[in-house]
Amino acid sequence: MLSNVTSEEWGYIAGLIDGEGSISITRGIRKDRPKPYERTYAKLNIYSCSEVLMGWLKCKVGGNVYRTALRNPLWKDGLNWTASPSLSCDILEACLPMLVIKRRQAELFVEFFSTSTLATSGRRSGVAYSVLQRREEMYTEWRALNKRGREANA
């Protein structure tokens, strides 16, 4: 599917990611298991109110679109496009040369995904300590990149 995307369309998708997208490395605790455990995972999302845009994106690269009700009743409902980590990684690799604002986040996503395997995706058992340590470093860097507020020396 991704082979049908033109270089111009990749540039447009990169602009969507830079402007309306979210590249995140998220940490959560799975409490629905007999023994709860912490997991860290990566996600790519693009937000818009345009059904035409989201339909085009889904047609071009796949993924899923979800409707999200916004807090203000005067606003339109939003649409959230997301994809599997594998597809997200492929998309970010294709867009990487064209990303400006979120280039480093995309690089971290791709590296983070490369530390995962199908057998141990997100689980601590079976993952080497050095890999867990590197994931922690990536998570910390991602948090610093996405820190809200003004810089101390700005």
Side-chain angles (χ1 to χ4, degrees):
M1 175 178 270
L2 298 182
S3 62
N4 296 330
V5 181
T6 67
S7 59
E8 292 83 7
E9 290 168 334
W10 280 125
Y12 186 73
I13 294 167
L16 288 173
I17 293 169
D18 262 346
E20 305 297 328
S22 169
I23 302 169
S24 60
I25 298 175
T26 306
R27 182 177 285 158
I29 297 177
R30 293 286 308 258
K31 296 180 180 179
D32 61 339
R33 303 284 192 236
K35 184 177 180 185
Y37 64 92
E38 184 180 282
R39 69 184 200 135
T40 307
Y41 53 96
K43 286 179 65 174
L44 172 64
N45 296 294
I46 297 175
Y47 304 95
S48 177
C49 293
S50 170
E51 292 190 26
V52 172
L53 175 64
M54 293 307 212
W56 176 84
L57 188 60
K58 184 176 179 178
C59 179
K60 281 293 172 183
V61 297
N64 295 298
V65 177
Y66 301 96
R67 187 169 301 277
T68 57
L70 300 177
R71 293 183 191 116
N72 188 329
L74 299 177
W75 295 346
K76 291 181 184 178
D77 284 347
L79 298 167
N80 175 17
W81 172 90
T82 190
S84 69
S86 175
L87 178 58
S88 296
C89 187
D90 291 343
I91 291 167
L92 289 172
E93 284 179 324
C95 291
L96 200 56
M98 294 161 274
L99 289 170
V100 176
I101 299 168
K102 295 180 178 146
R103 180 186 301 260
R104 184 62 188 144
Q105 287 93 329
E107 291 169 344
L108 286 170
F109 186 108
V110 170
E111 183 183 353
F112 185 90
F113 183 75
S114 74
T115 67
S116 300
T117 64
L118 293 176
T120 61
S121 181
R123 294 195 313 258
R124 288 191 178 266
S125 61
V127 179
Y129 178 74
S130 61
V131 172
L132 291 174
Q133 192 172 20
R134 179 61 190 134
R135 285 182 185 176
E136 181 64 28
E137 291 167 0
M138 287 185 279
Y139 176 76
T140 301
E141 182 179 349
W142 176 85
R143 295 271 312 207
L145 287 168
N146 291 305
K147 184 177 179 184
R148 294 178 187 245
R150 294 182 178 200
E151 294 295 321
N153 55 0

